[in-house]
């Protein structure tokens, strides 16, 4: 049997409030102790009860004071490296919520456009669309075209500048004259001219 969830609110009755405070303090101390064991980390907790004006420290007041003194003895940069005050914590949470909201809005937009496209495919006339629906459809189509263009560009990148253009002819191996010495070249030319001369005389 699960116990009813406790409503987080100010407890008017002082006796009940002190009982709840003691229970929660013990729970936090237990979790802090487990955390120090699991992560081999030093930690301390301090509680101030404004009803009786008493300060409660865990694991002890001496150890808590020693750890706090060691913390403030560090350079300010090290102290603030992983610090998270209330303002920065709220900003971090707000950014996460805004990200989730943006994602949810995209999902809703996708569903709306899918539903609208389904209606059009099943006979709804474009003339029947409202101005808002037309604008949403145009914006949705524009985004889809942009995404598809990027994907196609990634799959078929432009030809590199190091590669020859389509209009350029690449010389074949047979088109390139082999390198020969000047003397061999002269002899070959003389032989070819004598052959051609003999053929003309004939």
């Amino acid at each position: 049997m699960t116990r009813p969830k406790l409503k987080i609110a100010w407890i008017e009755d002082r006796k009940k409030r002190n009982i709840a405070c003691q229970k929660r303090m013990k729970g936090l101390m237990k979790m802090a102790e487990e955390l120090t064991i699991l992560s081999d980390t030093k930690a301390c907790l301090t509680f101030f009860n404004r009803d009786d004006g008493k300060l409660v420290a865990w694991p002890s007041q001496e150890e808590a004071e020693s750890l706090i003194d060691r913390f403030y003895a560090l350079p300010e940069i090290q102290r603030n490296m992983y610090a998270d005050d209330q303002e920065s914590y709220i900003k971090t949470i707000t950014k996460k919520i805004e990200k989730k909201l943006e994602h949810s809005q995209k999902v809703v937009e996708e569903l709306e456009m899918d539903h609208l496209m389904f209606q059009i495919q099943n006979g709804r006339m474009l003339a029947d669309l409202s101005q808002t629906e037309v604008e949403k459809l145009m914006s949705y189509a524009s985004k889809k075209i942009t995404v598809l263009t990027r994907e196609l560009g990634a799959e078929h990148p432009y030809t590199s500048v190091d590669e020859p253009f389509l209009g350029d002819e690449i010389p074949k191996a047979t088109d390139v004259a082999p390198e020969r010495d000047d003397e061999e070249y002269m002899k070959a030319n003389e032989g070819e001219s004598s052959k051609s001369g003999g053929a003309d005389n004939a």
Side-chain angles (χ1 to χ4, degrees):
M1 182 177 179
T2 57
R3 64 179 182 179
K5 188 177 180 181
L6 179 65
K7 183 180 179 181
I8 305 300
W10 170 254
I11 302 174
E12 295 288 346
D13 186 90
R14 182 172 180 177
K15 186 178 180 180
K16 291 181 179 179
R17 185 168 64 245
N18 287 334
I19 292 172
C21 183
Q22 292 295 326
K23 286 182 178 180
R24 293 300 175 108
M25 281 170 53
K26 287 180 181 179
L28 286 173
M29 290 176 184
K30 184 179 179 181
M31 286 190 288
E33 184 179 9
E34 291 173 354
L35 178 63
T36 57
I37 295 171
L38 292 171
S39 60
D40 191 23
T41 304
K42 296 291 183 181
C44 68
L45 298 174
T46 57
F47 305 91
F48 179 74
N49 190 336
R50 66 181 182 179
D51 286 339
D52 53 17
K54 289 183 179 180
L55 178 71
V56 178
W58 177 90
S60 67
Q61 187 168 344
E62 293 76 16
E63 289 185 56
E65 289 177 355
S66 174
L67 188 59
I68 292 171
D69 289 339
R70 285 172 58 188
F71 173 74
Y72 280 106
L74 294 171
E76 187 176 356
I77 296 176
Q78 284 185 269
R79 291 204 311 266
N80 298 329
M81 189 176 296
Y82 302 107
D84 200 7
D85 58 13
Q86 189 174 4
E87 185 179 355
S88 60
Y89 175 76
I90 292 173
K91 286 181 179 178
T92 303
I93 295 297
T94 303
K95 284 182 180 178
K96 288 181 179 179
I97 294 173
E98 287 175 348
K99 229 173 189 178
K100 288 182 179 180
L101 180 61
E102 185 181 352
H103 175 70
S104 299
Q105 287 173 340
K106 287 181 179 178
V107 172
V108 170
E109 184 184 6
E110 291 276 349
L111 292 173
E112 285 179 348
M113 290 300 103
D114 288 344
H115 181 63
L116 186 59
M117 295 296 291
F118 178 78
Q119 289 179 335
I120 293 171
Q121 288 176 358
N122 284 271
R124 185 177 178 184
M125 303 298 293
L126 293 175
D128 296 335
L129 300 180
S130 66
Q131 184 65 28
T132 304
E133 288 175 328
V134 171
E135 290 174 358
K136 285 184 177 181
L137 190 59
M138 290 176 65
S139 174
Y140 179 76
S142 177
K143 289 177 183 177
K144 283 292 184 183
I145 290 170
T146 303
V147 172
L148 289 172
T149 302
R150 286 176 184 171
E151 290 178 355
L152 289 172
E155 291 178 3
H156 306 285
Y158 293 110
T159 306
S160 172
V161 293
D162 296 332
E163 297 178 1
F165 291 104
L166 295 176
D168 296 341
E169 293 185 0
I170 304 174
K172 298 178 181 179
T174 54
D175 296 337
V176 180
E179 295 183 359
R180 293 183 293 183
D181 296 334
D182 292 341
E183 188 176 347
E184 291 180 359
Y185 184 75
M186 293 294 292
K187 288 180 180 180
N189 283 340
E190 288 176 1
E192 288 174 4
S193 60
S194 61
K195 287 180 182 179
S196 61
D200 293 338
N201 294 333

